[in-house]
């Protein structure tokens, strides 16, 4: 401006710059020459850039975002409500936790997830899951969770972190029950010595449970649970004289004293009335004492003989545990896995090992798919297990297919694909933790099937089982009545439901809820 003969103070220059950059342009101070106006254009454009881009981003980055993060961080609870006790604390929001939470909700047991990652904590919070945010190796976190009054703590991180969490909890809560999930069997002793009351090698157990469900050699009852001194067992009827007979015609109660309380039909537990016709793939659920089950086994020892090896596809942790369990029981097993290292690892438990893809027909044929009494699918991929169940069912219509699964939503699909029995890692883990919390023995009856012990509702007292209509109305199978420490399992349609007794039933949660709706509301 001095070049144009205009003389202004520094204050006026600053004032002119602000009016131009902010696009106010009062016009009281202006350039007259082209070079001055070009300079004004540069100032104006730089002002637009500053106002529309630089300043908003600087404000968002340094003021607005920290404010939002602070609000989000404070949104996640840091401690349980005052007076909380007899609650379950869970140290990870994994598949076992999700299944366990559903069961705890049905049992009206309060629970809280402890999450040490803020982003994950916010996701859990948005899902309306009861949770706490805090570091899992910090005593203050568990103090705010009122761990001393907790019913149980589930430590379900990886083995190394689990050990640190257990030691942290034990320092402030020496008596609270701690249940830990072990990934590797070698870490069980370490976590126990660190202070865990129970360490659960779920993957190993899953393999053993699946191995217990295969058909091999001859028909034999397989105990799957226990109530008092009675065993709940499965009895495959494949290739036995029971095929094509009704349950009444089979006469197992009259001959051996065992009670038939249900039938597995392609993954679904069906209640019975005695007139059901048994098919080759039917599996009876029976209840009796050791001697009674042994008598059943002796009668069927000569039937269902199949000397061919069981075919196991997938030799990872679960598959390896299943192969070892079968080997201990004297059952031959052939293993198929695409990883040569895994094949070498499980070879000591196997009759033969085949390295390659299970989708290869020639490989499966050499592994014995056409003659095998059972196929055990233990890959960790649900989609692959569904494919293999369908493939193996097409290749061998009579084979019994037992499979693991991860996502509960895939259970119906894999049953439709041809699997006879399915069990998931999450279900087994949740059942094990819940059994410990109740002080009961672990009973794994099947995916979604539970043992319920319920006081007889007033509306059913004095009625017979036939008059109650429990099976027809709810689908639950009544397996026993407990009165004054006496357990009655020899039930009939005329068995009365006495006052003050307990009724023991098999079924799923929906069936139990239906029972409560029908009978607890009847006056």
């Amino acid at each position: 401006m001095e070049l144009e003969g205009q003389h202004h103070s520094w204050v006026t220059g600053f004032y002119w710059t602000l009016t131009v950059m902010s696009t106010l342009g009062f016009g009281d101070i202006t350039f007259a020459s082209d070079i001055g106006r070009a300079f004004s254009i540069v100032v104006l454009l730089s002002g637009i850039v500053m106002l529309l881009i630089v300043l908003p981003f600087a404000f968002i980055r340094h003021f607005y975002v920290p404010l939002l993060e602070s609000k989000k961080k404070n949104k996640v609870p840091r401690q349980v409500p005052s007076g909380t006790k007899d609650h379950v604390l869970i140290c990870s929001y994994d598949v076992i936790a999700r299944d366990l939470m559903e069961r705890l909700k049905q049992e009206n047991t309060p629970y809280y997830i402890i999450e040490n990652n803020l982003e994950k904590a916010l996701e859990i919070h948005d899902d309306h899951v009861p949770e706490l945010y805090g570091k899992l190796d910090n005593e203050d976190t568990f103090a705010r969770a009122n761990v001393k009054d907790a019913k149980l703590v589930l430590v379900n991180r990886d083995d190394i972190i689990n050990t640190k969490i257990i030691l942290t909890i034990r320092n402030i809560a020496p008596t609270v029950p701690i249940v830990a999930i072990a990934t590797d069997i070698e870490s069980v002793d370490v976590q126990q010595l660190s202070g865990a009351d129970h360490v659960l090698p779920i993957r190993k157990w899953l393999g053993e449970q699946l191995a217990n469900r295969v058909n091999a050699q001859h028909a034999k009852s397989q105990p799957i649970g226990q109530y008092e001194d009675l065993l709940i067992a499965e009895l495959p009827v494949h290739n036995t004289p029971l095929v094509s007979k009704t349950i009444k015609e089979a006469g197992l109660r009259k001959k051996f004293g065992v009670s038939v309380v249900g039938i597995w039909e392609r993954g679904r537990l069906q209640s019975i009335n005695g007139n059901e016709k048994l098919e080759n793939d039917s599996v009876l659920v029976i209840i009796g004492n050791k001697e009674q089950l042994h008598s059943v086994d002796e009668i069927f020892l000569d039937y269902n003989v199949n000397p061919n090896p069981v075919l196991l596809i997938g030799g990872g942790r679960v598959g390896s545990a299943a192969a070892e369990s079968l080997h201990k029981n004297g059952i031959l097993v052939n293993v198929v896995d695409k990883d040569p290292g895994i094949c070498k690892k499980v070879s000591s438990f196997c009759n033969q090992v085949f390295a390659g893809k299970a989708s290869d027909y020639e490989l499966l044929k050499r592994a014995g798919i056409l003659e095998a009494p059972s196929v055990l699918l233990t890959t960790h991929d649900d989609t692959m297990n569904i494919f293999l169940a369908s493939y193996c069912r097409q290749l061998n219509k009579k084979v019994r297919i037992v499979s693991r699964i991860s996502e509960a939503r895939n259970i119906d699909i894999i049953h439709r694909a041809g699997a006879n029995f399915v069990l998931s890692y999450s279900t087994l883990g949740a059942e094990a933790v819940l059994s410990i919390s109740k002080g009961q023995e672990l009973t794994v009856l099947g995916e979604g099937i539970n043992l319920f012990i319920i006081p007889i509702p007033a509306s059913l007292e004095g009625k017979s089982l036939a008059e109650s209509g429990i099976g027809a109305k709810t689908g639950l199978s009544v397996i026993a009545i407990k009165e004054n420490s006496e357990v009655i399992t020899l039930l009939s349609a005329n068995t009365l439901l006495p006052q003050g007794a307990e009724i023991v039933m098999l079924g799923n949660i929906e069936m139990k809820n239906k029972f409560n709706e029908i009978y607890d509301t009847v006056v």
Side-chain angles (χ1 to χ4, degrees):
M1 283 190 166
E2 288 190 358
L3 290 176
E4 294 183 359
Q6 300 185 49
H7 303 283
H8 299 287
S9 68
W10 280 104
V11 174
T12 304
F14 185 66
Y15 160 77
W16 174 85
T17 303
L18 286 179
T19 59
V20 174
M21 292 185 75
S22 63
T23 72
L24 291 175
F26 293 136
D28 52 339
I29 304 172
T30 59
F31 281 98
S33 64
D34 287 344
I35 191 171
R37 287 170 179 164
F39 176 68
S40 297
I41 291 172
V42 172
V43 175
L44 178 62
L45 291 176
S46 64
I48 291 173
V49 171
M50 287 286 292
L51 288 174
L52 297 183
I53 299 175
V54 177
L55 289 178
F57 274 91
F59 174 76
I60 291 171
R61 175 67 182 85
H62 296 289
F63 295 97
Y64 188 66
V65 170
L67 180 63
L68 283 182
E69 288 180 350
S70 176
K71 286 185 176 180
K72 284 168 62 178
K73 189 175 180 180
N74 292 330
K75 183 170 70 172
V76 182
R78 264 49 172 197
Q79 63 181 31
V80 298
S82 178
T84 299
K85 60 180 181 179
D86 294 330
H87 53 298
V88 174
L89 298 174
I90 305 171
C91 296
S92 176
Y93 190 51
D94 60 5
V95 290
I96 291 180
R98 292 184 183 94
D99 270 25
L100 179 61
M101 284 159 46
E102 288 300 317
R103 297 296 307 277
L104 293 173
K105 198 181 297 182
Q106 291 148 9
E107 302 280 342
N108 293 320
T109 301
Y111 61 87
Y112 295 90
I113 304 292
I114 301 178
E115 180 54 61
N116 62 346
N117 181 285
L118 182 58
E119 291 302 317
K120 289 183 180 179
L122 289 169
E123 289 178 13
I124 296 172
H125 182 79
D126 290 340
D127 290 336
H128 306 290
V129 175
E131 64 156 339
L132 305 174
Y133 171 65
K135 299 300 179 183
L136 290 165
D137 57 355
N138 191 329
E139 292 181 7
D140 289 341
T141 299
F142 291 98
R144 291 194 296 268
N146 200 18
V147 67
K148 292 181 180 180
D149 292 327
K151 184 177 185 179
L152 178 144
V153 181
L154 173 60
V155 183
N156 52 335
R157 296 275 172 168
D158 67 59
D159 293 342
I160 296 174
I161 295 176
N162 280 0
T163 303
K164 193 175 183 181
I165 295 172
I166 293 166
L167 291 169
T168 301
I169 296 172
R170 273 289 169 255
N171 197 42
I172 62 171
T175 60
V176 66
I178 297 177
V179 178
I181 305 295
T183 303
D184 295 319
I185 194 68
E186 294 81 7
S187 70
V188 171
D189 289 341
V190 177
Q191 295 188 53
Q192 284 180 335
L193 292 172
S194 299
D197 298 282
H198 306 273
V199 182
L200 314 180
I202 301 298
R203 285 190 172 89
K204 179 176 183 293
W205 288 0
L206 179 59
E208 293 170 347
Q209 287 288 338
L210 293 172
N212 288 342
R213 264 45 184 230
V214 303
N215 285 352
Q217 297 177 340
H218 55 78
K220 181 183 178 184
S221 62
Q222 178 61 52
I224 57 174
Q226 187 168 354
Y227 176 69
E228 300 287 341
D229 59 344
L230 298 171
L231 296 173
I232 303 169
E234 292 180 343
L235 179 65
V237 302
H238 184 68
N239 286 350
T240 71
L242 297 183
V243 176
S244 299
K245 289 185 177 181
T246 66
I247 291 176
K248 286 181 180 177
E249 291 170 344
L252 294 180
R253 179 184 293 179
K254 185 177 180 181
K255 294 175 183 176
F256 310 111
V258 298
S259 298
V260 180
V261 296
I263 308 175
W264 282 108
E265 296 285 1
R266 283 296 173 89
R268 298 190 179 278
L269 184 65
Q270 309 290 345
S271 56
I272 60 169
N273 57 30
N275 298 317
E276 292 80 8
K277 189 176 181 179
L278 301 177
E279 306 292 342
N280 242 321
D281 58 355
S282 298
V283 178
L284 296 177
V285 180
I286 59 178
I287 185 168
N289 57 39
K290 258 184 196 176
E291 292 74 21
Q292 291 168 336
L293 296 185
H294 183 65
S295 299
V296 173
D297 294 343
E298 287 183 341
I299 295 296
F300 291 109
L301 193 62
D302 296 330
Y303 297 96
N304 197 28
V305 176
N306 187 334
N308 296 298
V310 169
L311 177 58
L312 189 152
I313 302 177
R317 288 191 182 97
V318 175
S320 177
E324 184 176 0
S325 179
L326 291 169
H327 177 72
K328 286 180 180 178
N329 291 327
I331 298 172
L332 297 177
V333 56
N334 290 346
V335 173
V336 175
D337 197 287
K338 64 182 180 181
D339 187 339
I342 289 178
C343 290
K344 184 178 180 181
K345 186 177 178 181
V346 300
S347 60
S348 58
F349 308 127
C350 305
N351 177 57
Q352 283 184 285
V353 178
F354 299 84
K357 293 183 177 180
S359 56
D360 184 343
Y361 171 71
E362 291 300 326
L363 180 69
L364 282 187
K365 187 177 178 182
R366 285 189 286 115
I369 181 60
L370 302 181
E371 302 85 18
S374 292
V375 173
L376 189 51
L377 307 176
T378 59
T379 80
H380 54 76
D381 186 339
D382 284 4
T383 303
M384 177 57 71
N385 286 338
I386 292 168
F387 167 77
L388 291 173
S390 179
Y391 190 33
C392 293
R393 178 58 64 206
Q394 296 303 317
L395 296 176
N396 189 337
K397 300 291 185 182
K398 295 182 178 180
V399 72
R400 177 171 170 81
I401 300 176
V402 176
S403 178
R404 68 172 288 187
I405 209 77
S406 298
E407 298 289 341
R409 58 190 173 85
N410 292 325
I411 292 172
D412 286 339
I413 299 174
I414 197 168
H415 279 308
R416 290 198 298 271
N420 299 91
F421 181 85
V422 180
L423 186 62
S424 70
Y425 171 81
S426 58
T427 293
L428 182 58
E431 289 290 344
V433 175
L434 201 65
S435 297
I436 291 170
S437 73
K438 293 181 176 180
Q440 299 175 351
E441 291 291 327
L442 174 60
T443 300
V444 182
L445 303 170
E447 194 67 38
I449 303 300
N450 302 299
L451 186 69
F452 300 110
I453 305 170
I454 302 173
I456 295 175
S459 60
L460 293 180
E461 291 175 353
K463 290 186 177 180
S464 67
L465 281 176
E467 292 172 334
S468 72
I470 293 173
K473 294 178 181 178
T474 69
L476 289 166
S477 297
V478 179
I479 67 171
I481 295 173
K482 183 177 181 180
E483 183 182 17
N484 298 326
S485 300
E486 181 184 358
V487 179
I488 303 168
T489 59
L490 295 177
L491 307 177
S492 69
N494 298 321
T495 301
L496 297 179
L497 300 173
Q499 182 180 5
E502 292 179 324
I503 188 169
V504 185
M505 300 178 290
L506 289 179
N508 58 35
I509 294 298
E510 290 74 20
M511 294 174 182
K512 181 192 174 188
N513 291 338
K514 189 178 289 186
F515 178 91
N516 291 336
E517 290 174 9
I518 293 173
Y519 299 107
D520 286 358
T521 58
V522 176
V523 181

